[in-house]
Amino acid sequence: MLTLGCARNEVDSEELAGRLAAGGWELAAEPEESDVVVVNTCGFVESAKKDSVDTLLAASDTGAKVVAVGCMAERYGNELADSLPEADAVLGFDHYADLSDRLDDIVAGRTVASHTPSDRRKLLPISPVQRQSASEEVEVPGHAQHGWGPRVLRTRLDDAPVAALKIASGCDRRCSFCAIPSFRGSFVSRQPDEIVAEAMWLAQNGVKEVFLVSENSTSYGKDFGRDGARALELLLPRLAAVEGIERVRVSYLQPAETRPGLVKTIATTPGVADYFDLSFQHSSETVLRRMRRFGSTDSFLALTEQIRELSPEAGIRTNVIVGFPGETEDDLAELERFLTGARLDAVGVFGYSDEDGTEAETFDGKLDPDVVTERVSRISALVEELTTQRAEDRIGTMVDVLIENVDEDDDPIGRAAHQAPEVDGECVVIESEGLTVGQFVRCEVVDSEGVDLIVRPIP
């Protein structure tokens, strides 16, 4: 099982591994040892698609059968199969329930028809409150518990002390640059009891931190009816109380939907990381409207101020897109004003490029690629300066570090509450002895290197 893309895909892979184990399949440690290599592809942006194709081609070189699943397979289906004969099958989400049988067919040499793509938003009712029952009849990745009772249908693919936990799938937003809703489908929340049960299972399997993922976590509970507005606020303390789970982290928050009650819950609940992964994307009102999003520099700065009033050392990260069609120098200056005022801990900077089937693909005002590249460099340089300053501001503060591995100098490496896995920097623990992976250590920040912190355990 090879996984590309985001943490949501990682959860889907572990769900698929659980399904395959239930069907009698065994996971091999290396592709060369496999009868079948299942590649969980990413189809978000062009570079991710290329990585997925390259991985499929490399898998075919092992001599094993190769099966493509995941977002790229769902999005392009038989088109991908026609252009990539090295793949023995291209299967969509609707194949997940009987994936074990389909692999049996492939190994036996029986032909499995490739997936035919469709707009998955049309598979569930328009009204969110009608989706909970309807979703039991539609394959929704990450919702494999239907019909399995208390059993968690998931197999861990590593032994890391942190694991992603999916709370919802799909998205109802219509951002003009994003194609995800068309192949991931409409938004569907998982039931709280099911999520808590999976958190308990993860704790029993060595996990110390759970990382809540979805396409839009601030929408969690919108399909529960009148009582769903505070669903995430109520879920977080339950997860933090799970024995063995020492830290709960929320990701993928939409700024326009982030309510004061949720901010307070994340910022002040013991066991919940005071960490805000906010999808700002830009701050110019003009650009945001063309993106089919809401907000402004001032409203976004007010949100960051609200967070820091409750938790001055809270971590805040985001992604931004520059070079969007119609973006002017004034728009870029507005984004710079926001980034300078917000004092964010981490920022991903991406240059706009057309995405198949999106509204923005049809927009006028496209910028020359060289202009987009120049703007990416300009904003990236500002971001590097600002996030480095933010890390320097943490020198002298105390952080709780989860130890995750050891570097080449035998120094333990971990993450503080303001650092999410892989994207927000790390903590290098010096002058330490006897620390083990999975251990939480109270440390003082003594130095910084870019966004990374150098920390020393407190005796």
Side-chain angles (χ1 to χ4, degrees), residues 122-148:
K122 299 178 180 179
L123 300 182
L124 291 171
I126 294 177
S127 171
V129 295
Q130 296 177 356
R131 292 179 193 159
Q132 282 294 313
S133 57
S135 66
E136 297 183 17
E137 307 300 324
V138 174
E139 190 61 38
V140 181
H143 294 239
Q145 300 309 115
H146 292 311
W148 288 83

Side-chain angles (χ1 to χ4, degrees), residues 53-360:
V53 170
D54 289 346
T55 302
L56 289 163
L57 292 173
S60 71
D61 291 340
T62 66
K65 301 288 186 180
V66 177
V67 176
V69 297
C71 290
M72 189 176 183
E74 174 65 35
R75 187 175 181 183
Y76 295 104
N78 42 21
E79 178 185 343
L80 176 62
D82 291 343
S83 63
L84 196 70
E86 291 84 355
D88 295 276
V90 176
L91 306 181
F93 299 153
D94 291 334
H95 289 100
Y96 282 15
D98 56 0
L99 185 62
S100 178
D101 292 338
R102 297 294 73 77
L103 296 197
D104 289 340
D105 290 336
I106 291 162
V107 169
R110 295 186 288 270
T111 300
V112 177
S114 297
H115 162 66
T116 300
S118 63
D119 189 338
R120 294 192 72 85
R121 290 171 294 191
K122 299 178 180 179
L123 300 182
L124 291 171
I126 294 177
S127 171
V129 295
Q130 296 177 356
R131 292 179 193 159
Q132 282 294 313
S133 57
S135 66
E136 297 183 17
E137 307 300 324
V138 174
E139 190 61 38
V140 181
H143 294 239
Q145 300 309 115
H146 292 311
W148 288 83
R151 177 180 176 182
V152 174
L153 192 60
R154 179 172 179 174
T155 295
R156 294 214 68 200
L157 298 178
D158 61 38
D159 57 359
V162 58
L165 175 56
K166 186 173 284 191
I167 63 171
S169 289
C171 185
D172 289 340
R173 299 183 70 88
R174 295 295 182 265
C175 301
S176 62
F177 56 83
C178 182
I180 288 176
S182 65
F183 57 85
R184 273 289 182 176
S186 299
F187 185 90
V188 185
S189 304
R190 294 180 67 194
Q191 289 293 327
D193 289 349
E194 184 180 307
I195 296 170
V196 172
E198 189 164 334
M200 294 172 65
W201 179 86
L202 288 169
Q204 292 164 5
N205 283 271
V207 171
K208 301 297 183 180
E209 176 182 320
V210 290
F211 183 26
L212 306 187
V213 299
S214 69
E215 274 74 29
N216 178 6
S217 296
T218 38
S219 283
Y220 179 73
K222 64 181 286 185
D223 45 339
F224 292 163
R226 182 180 302 174
D227 298 329
R230 297 184 60 243
L232 185 55
E233 297 170 38
L234 298 174
L235 174 64
L236 288 172
R238 291 185 62 188
L239 291 172
V242 171
E243 184 176 355
I245 298 298
E246 297 189 46
R247 188 156 68 196
V248 179
R249 184 183 303 277
V250 187
S251 64
Y252 306 109
L253 301 172
Q254 290 291 341
E257 299 177 17
T258 303
R259 299 173 299 276
L262 179 60
V263 171
K264 183 176 181 180
T265 298
I266 294 174
T268 64
T269 302
V272 176
D274 49 351
Y275 172 83
F276 294 81
D277 175 16
L278 290 158
S279 177
F280 290 116
Q281 302 300 347
H282 211 283
S283 71
S284 162
E285 287 190 78
T286 303
V287 174
L288 287 167
R289 297 305 176 269
R290 286 175 67 85
M291 288 179 168
R292 305 294 182 240
R293 297 173 68 86
F294 303 96
S296 66
T297 296
D298 291 337
S299 67
F300 290 165
L301 288 175
L303 177 57
T304 62
E305 289 168 5
Q306 178 189 4
I307 290 168
R308 295 216 167 97
E309 284 178 3
L310 291 167
S311 178
E313 295 176 10
I316 308 176
R317 69 109 51 216
T318 195
N319 294 318
V320 296
I321 298 172
V322 296
F324 194 77
E327 182 189 63
T328 66
E329 281 291 335
D330 286 344
D331 294 324
L332 201 65
E334 190 71 0
L335 177 59
E336 290 173 325
R337 181 168 78 90
F338 166 67
L339 293 171
T340 302
R343 297 169 50 244
L344 305 177
D345 292 270
V347 183
V349 182
F350 299 90
Y352 172 81
S353 61
D354 285 337
E355 188 61 29
D356 296 343
T358 61
E359 183 185 6

